Amino acid sequence: MTSPKLAIQTESGRMYSRQIGTAAIVPSITTVIGMDKLDLSGWAGYMAAKALSEDQRLAQSLGDQRQLRSLVRDAANAAEAYRDSAAARGDRVHNYAEQRALQALDAEHYLPDALAELEANNELGFARHFDKWWQDYAVEPIAAEATVWNESVGYAGTIDLVAKIGGRTCLIDYKTKTTDRDGFVKRPDDKVIMQLAAACKAEEQVVDAEQGTWKAWEYGTDTMLLAVALGESGTRTFLAPPAALPDYWSKFYALRRNWEASFKIAQSRASLAEITPPTQ
């Protein structure tokens, strides 16, 4: 996950401020969506078992309880390590995509540095396929990493790319994905539709994060909402179905209310209070 200038990590998740140096006051789109939690205990257990079975030290540690306990601890952390590694890779790929757009916009960019970082991690396939996607879709960028705000509901977020494709204005979210056994880049989770629907409902876009200046959001209507899966073996582009957007927006709105209730409970430290028996 990249770090937009106005985003701040808090105990209540990622939140946004109106100006650099001021307090964070609204949750991010992804933080709100995170209220719709998935049960990943099965996946975590699988990752632990997989890590242990593939550890070359396993055979020689079977007679050594101390070493075996060490291997079990390492295996128990396998899911977290995999998640952190995937997040770091996602940041590198997103950074390359952002720098590519900034270059096309004739803005200050660090594309060679972003490419070098991918090369250092043996991830040049992501850059190669992203460049091909950019060319195939004849992308005309309007804004990269655009931070937006909805004051009415109370949330903010950062859109990976606003661009013209085929004459249509598009809001685009990149998802870094692995490749399946058949060689296809895996499809994004449908939660990205909710993410795009919330971005489309923005009311303002930041102009200058340092000064805290904003302007009206211009791209909330007549836009195509696209999720682009970026992989080392290729890319896949998905359209968020327009007919389903009202329902995804309704779900996001409900999750936003859920987040607010949880936030207020955490702030008030409300919990069960023990009481004694009534006096006789």
Side-chain angles (χ1 to χ4, degrees):
M1 179 181 291
T2 54
S3 299
K5 291 181 179 179
L6 295 174
I8 301 170
Q9 195 62 37
T10 74
E11 293 181 356
S12 300
R14 175 182 271 190
M15 297 180 67
Y16 276 80
S17 63
R18 291 287 289 181
Q19 181 179 353
I20 290 177
T22 61
I25 54 176
V26 297
S28 72
I29 292 173
T30 52
T31 292
V32 172
I33 293 174
M35 298 301 294
D36 189 21
K37 291 184 173 67
L38 293 175
D39 181 5
L40 297 177
S41 57
W43 174 76
Y46 166 76
M47 290 299 295
K50 182 174 182 289
L52 187 60
S53 68
E54 294 175 351
D55 197 312
Q56 299 299 316
R57 300 169 295 171
L58 180 59
Q60 66 186 37
S61 68
L62 291 178
D64 185 337
Q65 289 299 312
R66 180 182 298 178
Q67 188 174 5
L68 188 58
R69 283 195 296 271
S70 177
L71 292 188
V72 170
R73 283 195 299 271
D74 290 346
N77 294 327
E80 184 176 350
Y82 179 88
R83 181 201 63 198
D84 292 346
S85 175
R89 181 177 64 244
D91 284 349
R92 291 189 292 270
V93 174
H94 274 71
N95 184 43
Y96 178 81
E98 179 187 359
Q99 301 309 316
R100 179 73 173 80
L102 290 174
Q103 181 195 52
L105 288 165
D106 291 325
E108 182 181 9
H109 66 86
Y110 302 96
L111 186 61
D113 294 339
L115 185 62
E117 193 171 12
L118 288 177
E119 184 176 15
N121 288 276
N122 299 312
E123 296 165 344
L124 283 178
F126 288 100
R128 183 171 62 254
H129 289 293
F130 177 81
D131 288 344
K132 186 176 186 304
W133 171 81
W134 189 275
Q135 182 178 9
D136 288 347
Y137 281 80
V139 178
E140 301 174 42
I142 297 171
E145 293 289 310
T147 294
V148 297
W149 193 283
N150 182 306
E151 182 67 24
S152 300
V153 179
Y155 66 86
T158 299
I159 302 167
D160 290 334
L161 183 68
V162 183
K164 288 276 190 181
I165 295 178
R168 293 287 303 277
T169 301
C170 302
L171 305 187
I172 299 167
D173 189 83
Y174 304 127
K175 296 298 181 188
T176 306
K177 306 299 291 184
T178 55
T179 302
D180 65 21
R181 295 178 181 177
D182 297 319
F184 293 102
V185 175
K186 293 180 180 179
R187 62 183 292 125
D189 189 286
D190 280 342
K191 283 185 179 181
V192 71
I193 303 174
M194 191 170 10
Q195 186 175 346
L196 289 164
C200 195
K201 290 283 189 177
E203 297 170 345
E204 296 176 278
Q205 176 183 348
V206 72
V207 175
D208 189 322
E210 295 281 353
Q211 298 297 320
T213 54
W214 297 73
K215 66 178 182 180
W217 176 236
E218 304 173 24
Y219 308 110
T221 57
D222 193 30
T223 55
M224 292 177 64
L225 307 183
L226 304 179
V228 180
L230 305 176
E232 283 191 289
S233 59
T235 64
R236 298 174 69 186
T237 304
F238 299 85
L239 172 68
L245 294 180
D247 291 329
Y248 276 96
W249 168 250
S250 295
K251 183 172 182 179
F252 178 84
Y253 186 84
L255 290 172
R256 173 59 180 82
R257 294 182 64 184
N258 188 359
W259 178 89
E260 183 171 2
S262 298
F263 178 76
K264 288 180 177 178
I265 289 170
Q267 293 295 105
S268 66
R269 301 186 182 277
S271 61
L272 290 170
E274 186 175 3
I275 61 172
T276 59
T279 56
Q280 300 298 323

